Amino acid sequence: AAGIAAGIPLLALFAGAASADWSGTGKLGGVVTRGNSETETLTAVVDVSNVLEQWTYKLGGSILHTVTDDVTSADRWELRAETNYSFTERAFTFGTVRYENDSFTDYAYQATGAAGYGYRFIMTGATKLEAQLGVGARRSELRVTDEVEEDAILRAAMTYEHSLTPTTRIYDRFLVESGSDNTFMQNHIGFEIKINSRFAFGLDYTVRRNTDVLPGTRNSDQIFTTNLVYGFL
């Protein structure tokens, strides 16, 4: 069942690649300090989507990398894919996969696949609210022991977007993947102001939490970034 759930979005994405109507955004942020300490931080996020009749295809990825005085203190990257099939204007089914590799948590990687049901509660020009609920499987590796954990998960997600003005919008994206070994939660809230038709200035705040970690490891991470956002068709 986990293999089927993981394969749904990948097979559908290959089918959707035949259409060239992909659009999305790319975000790039960074910090460089010089003086008593030297720090370089790079953040990058790419999200693209394609709508083909009743199908919606989504691809995304992100990178966070920080080096302080020639010592790496943050190194994480993530890839994700999703496909939705709308059987009414508001209701849809989905299949999704996510892979995360992080050098500074107890989990060397976490890979999940899930499928389920989604519903669009609000679909106005200014506001969108969408929720998903599904089941799937997760495979993760503990960094210290190299032990591999496999468990069934319940996956829930929520996406909210609201345009305050024609040039300003806010959004909030929540994700939880809960299983017997660990519950992963992430909430990502952001704010964007358009500079012109292509570029925008963005602020993002993300909270990530794993409930089961080793002694001495914090459960939660917080990330605040400023970004240059580019929208492409």
Side-chain angles (χ1 to χ4, degrees), residues 25-204:
T25 59
K27 300 181 181 180
L28 183 64
V31 176
V32 177
T33 64
R34 293 292 184 267
N36 294 320
S37 65
E38 296 185 357
T39 301
E40 298 91 25
T41 296
L42 171 68
T43 63
V45 180
V46 176
D47 286 293
V48 296
S49 63
N50 186 5
V51 179
L52 186 62
E53 296 180 350
Q54 292 172 277
W55 292 92
T56 300
Y57 312 99
K58 300 178 182 179
L59 285 172
S62 63
I63 296 173
L64 171 65
H65 187 75
T66 299
V67 178
T68 302
D69 294 331
D70 297 325
V71 177
T72 301
S73 57
D75 188 18
R76 181 176 67 249
W77 58 273
E78 178 191 47
L79 295 174
R80 51 192 178 271
E82 180 180 318
T83 184
N84 300 338
Y85 178 80
S86 298
F87 52 89
T88 71
E89 183 181 16
R90 294 182 179 270
F92 61 92
T93 57
F94 73 88
T96 181
V97 291
R98 188 180 75 88
Y99 180 88
E100 174 185 295
N101 188 298
D102 195 328
S103 300
F104 291 89
T105 67
D106 288 347
Y107 295 94
Y109 72 83
Q110 295 189 69
T112 62
Y117 175 82
Y119 194 81
R120 303 177 182 98
F121 291 93
I122 304 176
M123 299 175 59
T124 67
T127 306
K128 295 179 176 62
L129 177 62
E130 173 185 300
Q132 298 178 349
L133 182 64
V135 295
R138 174 174 55 203
R139 180 183 175 92
S140 55
E141 180 182 312
L142 289 169
R143 184 177 309 282
V144 176
T145 63
D146 293 331
E147 178 185 356
V148 174
E149 299 178 341
E150 296 179 338
D151 60 347
I153 62 169
L154 177 67
R155 180 188 183 275
M158 185 276 295
T159 301
Y160 171 78
E161 297 182 7
H162 179 66
S163 297
L164 299 172
T165 70
T167 59
T168 306
R169 76 178 184 116
I170 59 173
Y171 50 86
D172 190 11
R173 297 163 187 160
F174 175 74
L175 170 67
V176 58
E177 297 166 343
S178 182
S180 58
D181 293 324
N182 179 52
T183 295
F184 170 78
M185 292 177 285
Q186 177 174 273
N187 193 73
H188 178 81
I189 188 169
F191 177 82
E192 289 181 3
I193 301 176
K194 281 188 177 182
I195 301 172
N196 54 38
S197 60
R198 289 291 188 182
F199 289 96
F201 170 76
L203 297 174
D204 290 285

